Amino acid sequence: MTTEPKDYRLDGIYVQRQEGYFMQRVKLPAGVISSTQARTVATVSEQFAKGLLHLTTRGSIEIHWLQEQNLAEVKRSLATCGLTSRGACGGAVRGITCGSQGASGFPQLESMARRIHRHFTANPRFERLPKKFKVCIEADNSGKRHLIQDFGLVFDHEEEGRAIFNVWIAGGLGREPQAGILLESEVVEDRIIPLIEAVARVYAAGAAPGKRLKHLLNEIGEEELRRRIYADATASEELPPVRSFNEILTLPTADPANRIEAYFFAGQLSAVELKQLADFADKWSNGILMVTVDQNIAFQLSPGSDKTEARQALQKAGFISTETADQITFRVCPGTHECKMGLAATREVATTVINSLGNKALQNSWALSGCPNSCTQTQLADIGISTTRLVAGDDGQRSPRFDIFRGQPDGLGQKAETGLTLEELTATLCR
């Protein structure tokens, strides 16, 4: 009996735009991956795909151009080094993302991210949810990523050796962007997992299929949503404190000044490049790589490392250059290059924008989504570009139309221009 492609989603697999091909997403708690795991991902891509990889804006890695007959072997290969894709797609608790890898307190965030990842991955109580359930953990509010999650954690302070978080819920982007609400302040870390359980159960019981938690909030109101969450006994439960060795892969302490990044346009890199970076990590960063939310790979250099020498090594390998494109924060989704939802060739559009603006682009952070789903978080960038629809011209050919979002000091970016052609888009941005 043949398994339908839709049944693969809970294993982190999507059907690609090109018939007969699939994408495998690999979950990385807080974006952290060891050099051994990175080599495994690279080898899988070389053996079963085209040797091409994509870094996502949630700190995951995607392997494109896989074929159905190899999917089971891909899963087995990833499992040999402790990697899993369960819940990376579909109605489950997705990968735990973190945009604060450069913060001095990141190891504590990674520890919490791994606890959440371990608890919810392949947990049958929290699979088959109405839709995706996204979780993030951040060092502060500055990146505003806590506003777009189903469950967002923001570190507040430490008390008696335990981390204290502020909890935000029911945010999301897509066609109906909505900032999340503050559920509770100063929640001790041992309450976090039970509280996620309570929120997820209320979501599963009350939301219609295909709807996010934000839709349930809009349907029943904030007061009723809070009542239902705190009516669940686990919402106030406190688990026994963790009394074991820390499971973090990064060093126990982080020095933001001793951090270095390898840059990739639109998050695209080859398996060969990932292996080279794994070798770099073994020498310079204790064998650890970090996939960033801006689709690059970062390293926390080991104590005693010479940052200038490490940077020169990355530059010699071709991962840092003096080109303008390397210095621009420009998040880009796969668009029509691989994604079934894509309406625009995003990498070509991004290149056109960068070439049109030149050094002026350095003044802003950018995000380009190839459809209205906002996978690149267009409402969190200084300037976000969303592809909204296709319009037929006089010649019968359909071309994409774009909306522009402008970042705001507080909250999500607001729509500034709508329905632009590519030519109108670049002219407007230059202006």
Side-chain angles (χ1 to χ4, degrees), residues 383-398:
I383 301 178
I385 305 167
S386 177
T387 314
T388 56
R389 64 188 187 279
L390 297 174
V391 176
D394 295 337
D395 59 358
Q397 297 295 315
R398 299 200 300 167

Side-chain angles (χ1 to χ4, degrees), residues 195-366:
L195 189 53
I196 297 175
E197 288 185 338
V199 173
R201 271 195 290 270
V202 169
Y203 168 52
K211 296 296 184 180
R212 296 278 298 277
L213 181 61
K214 64 181 181 181
H215 297 107
L216 180 61
L217 169 63
N218 293 336
E219 179 184 338
I220 66 176
E222 182 176 337
E223 183 178 350
E224 175 61 15
L225 180 59
R226 289 177 180 275
R227 188 198 67 77
R228 293 186 188 184
I229 290 171
Y230 289 108
D232 189 305
T234 60
S236 301
E237 181 183 359
E238 190 169 314
L239 297 178
V242 175
R243 302 194 184 281
S244 64
F245 293 113
N246 203 313
E247 296 182 4
I248 61 171
L249 296 187
T250 50
L251 294 169
T253 58
D255 180 3
N258 218 22
R259 173 185 167 88
I260 191 170
E261 277 190 49
Y263 298 93
F264 297 94
F265 174 66
Q268 297 298 112
L269 73 161
S270 68
V272 171
E273 289 173 322
L274 184 56
K275 287 183 175 180
Q276 290 176 317
L277 291 174
D279 293 340
F280 177 89
D282 283 337
K283 181 176 181 180
W284 293 99
S285 63
N286 203 38
I288 301 303
L289 309 82
M290 293 179 282
V291 179
T292 77
V293 293
D294 288 322
Q295 300 175 287
N296 297 315
I297 292 182
F299 306 88
Q300 178 65 51
L301 300 182
S302 304
S305 298
D306 186 313
K307 186 174 182 179
T308 300
E309 188 178 345
R311 183 178 176 84
Q312 289 172 346
L314 272 184
Q315 192 163 10
K316 185 177 180 181
F319 297 112
I320 302 178
S321 75
T322 58
E323 295 296 321
T324 300
D326 266 2
Q327 305 167 50
I328 299 174
T329 299
F330 206 138
R331 301 189 295 271
V332 183
C333 74
T336 55
H337 300 287
E338 289 98 9
C339 181
K340 289 185 72 175
M341 301 297 293
L343 302 174
T346 46
R347 296 195 280 270
E348 295 174 10
V349 173
T351 299
T352 300
V353 170
I354 292 170
N355 291 341
S356 299
L357 294 173
N359 288 331
K360 293 179 182 179
L362 293 171
Q363 302 169 17
N364 300 286
S365 64
W366 299 77

Side-chain angles (χ1 to χ4, degrees), residues 89-162:
C89 304
V93 178
R94 298 290 182 89
I96 315 304
T97 187
C98 180
S100 303
Q101 295 166 338
S104 59
F106 174 67
Q108 193 170 32
L109 302 183
E110 184 199 350
S111 176
M112 190 74 241
R114 289 193 176 279
R115 288 171 62 187
I116 298 170
H117 168 85
R118 183 177 64 248
H119 183 82
F120 287 98
T121 297
N123 187 328
R125 295 182 184 277
F126 302 100
E127 293 187 332
R128 308 293 179 184
L129 297 175
K131 204 174 183 181
K132 65 188 78 170
F133 191 91
K134 293 185 175 182
V135 178
C136 83
I137 183 166
E138 300 293 336
D140 54 46
N141 291 335
S142 60
K144 298 191 283 190
R145 284 183 171 80
H146 61 290
L147 296 177
I148 64 170
Q149 315 296 327
D150 297 283
F151 196 99
L153 288 168
V154 180
F155 178 81
D156 188 273
H157 66 281
E158 189 172 321
E159 191 174 292
E160 298 179 352
R162 296 194 295 177

Side-chain angles (χ1 to χ4, degrees), residues 36-205:
T36 299
Q37 292 172 329
R39 290 189 187 94
T40 299
V41 172
T43 299
V44 165
S45 179
E46 289 175 327
Q47 289 182 340
F48 301 112
K50 294 185 177 182
L52 299 173
L53 301 163
H54 176 71
L55 309 176
T56 80
T57 58
R58 290 184 61 83
S60 299
I61 299 179
E62 293 178 350
I63 307 170
H64 289 269
W65 303 102
L66 295 165
Q67 294 182 296
E68 189 170 17
Q69 65 268 25
N70 297 321
L71 295 178
E73 182 61 23
V74 167
K75 182 176 181 179
R76 189 201 67 80
S77 297
L78 294 174
T80 61
C81 65
L83 289 173
T84 181
S85 296
R86 188 69 178 180
C89 304
V93 178
R94 298 290 182 89
I96 315 304
T97 187
C98 180
S100 303
Q101 295 166 338
S104 59
F106 174 67
Q108 193 170 32
L109 302 183
E110 184 199 350
S111 176
M112 190 74 241
R114 289 193 176 279
R115 288 171 62 187
I116 298 170
H117 168 85
R118 183 177 64 248
H119 183 82
F120 287 98
T121 297
N123 187 328
R125 295 182 184 277
F126 302 100
E127 293 187 332
R128 308 293 179 184
L129 297 175
K131 204 174 183 181
K132 65 188 78 170
F133 191 91
K134 293 185 175 182
V135 178
C136 83
I137 183 166
E138 300 293 336
D140 54 46
N141 291 335
S142 60
K144 298 191 283 190
R145 284 183 171 80
H146 61 290
L147 296 177
I148 64 170
Q149 315 296 327
D150 297 283
F151 196 99
L153 288 168
V154 180
F155 178 81
D156 188 273
H157 66 281
E158 189 172 321
E159 191 174 292
E160 298 179 352
R162 296 194 295 177
I164 309 296
F165 296 93
N166 298 325
V167 174
W168 298 70
I169 63 167
L173 295 179
R175 297 175 186 271
E176 302 168 281
Q178 179 173 310
I181 61 171
L182 179 63
L183 176 67
E184 186 175 345
S185 298
E186 300 188 9
V187 180
V188 67
E189 63 179 83
D190 299 319
R191 275 191 58 214
I192 294 300
I193 287 176
L195 189 53
I196 297 175
E197 288 185 338
V199 173
R201 271 195 290 270
V202 169
Y203 168 52

